[in-house]
Amino acid sequence: MCQTKQFHVKQSLHPWYVTGFCERSASFTYSRSGSGFGLYFGIKVGVKDVAILQGLQAFFGGAGRIYRINPTSRSSQGEAESGYFRITRAAELARLVSHFDRFTLTGSKAQQYLVWRGMVFLKQRFRRPEREQLAEMASRLSAVSRGGTKS
């Protein structure tokens, strides 16, 4: 977990600020292990901006975790230390969906979010969702994330 000074929010972040920041910096994505799909939301920033991640975490009711990422010898030269905010738990992802359904993304991230949102709902509705359906949605999400237009 990231060991930085605590960010004390005198006022909660404005919901439209959160949406705008996420439009630029967030990822709505998944990981695949065997036949399982793990859905997650993540944001990576420079270590000097970890306070923003802490503000976002507070905005989402303490959801997720903040990690410190140290550059490794294998990483590209000049890569600086960074912070990474990640949400993976189903109930916490539902909080995100509720936010982005009310304060909608309007840029390039909107299509990525809509496919990811469908995956979140599919996993919430069914204890064992159809792997083929999740795989097809994951393929669409990957295409949209790369700039494709599959819908």
Side-chain angles (χ1 to χ4, degrees):
M1 184 128 167
C2 191
Q3 300 296 322
T4 60
K5 293 180 182 177
Q6 285 294 76
F7 180 65
H8 298 287
V9 183
K10 292 181 182 176
Q11 294 181 331
S12 181
L13 296 176
H14 192 281
W16 285 113
Y17 171 83
V18 171
T19 296
F21 189 84
C22 291
E23 177 72 50
R24 175 68 176 116
S25 301
S27 293
F28 299 95
T29 192
Y30 68 95
S31 62
R32 190 173 187 173
S33 176
S35 63
F37 286 86
L39 302 176
Y40 63 93
F41 166 87
I43 301 175
K44 182 178 176 184
V45 298
V47 73
K48 291 181 180 180
D49 291 327
V50 167
I52 296 171
L53 299 182
Q54 293 170 334
L56 289 168
Q57 185 178 42
F59 178 85
F60 287 114
R65 292 189 59 182
I66 298 172
Y67 303 90
R68 181 175 293 230
I69 301 172
N70 296 314
T72 64
S73 58
R74 294 177 297 184
S75 64
S76 60
Q77 276 190 309
E79 185 176 323
E81 186 175 20
S82 55
Y84 184 65
F85 175 47
R86 182 170 160 162
I87 299 176
T88 59
R89 292 185 176 149
E92 294 173 348
L93 293 176
R95 245 182 270 164
L96 284 170
V97 168
S98 176
H99 169 78
F100 289 111
D101 283 354
R102 287 188 62 211
F103 301 93
T104 57
L105 297 156
T106 58
S108 60
K109 198 84 55 168
Q111 193 175 13
Q112 181 185 5
Y113 166 73
L114 290 175
V115 175
W116 179 84
R117 177 185 183 270
M119 294 174 77
V120 169
F121 281 142
L122 185 64
K123 285 194 71 169
Q124 285 178 343
R125 272 191 224 122
F126 303 104
R127 188 170 186 189
R128 292 186 178 193
E130 291 290 327
R131 282 186 251 160
E132 295 80 23
Q133 192 173 3
L134 273 175
E136 188 272 326
M137 293 174 88
S139 176
R140 282 193 336 217
L141 180 57
S142 294
V144 168
S145 296
R146 287 190 306 269
T149 57
K150 290 185 179 180
S151 51

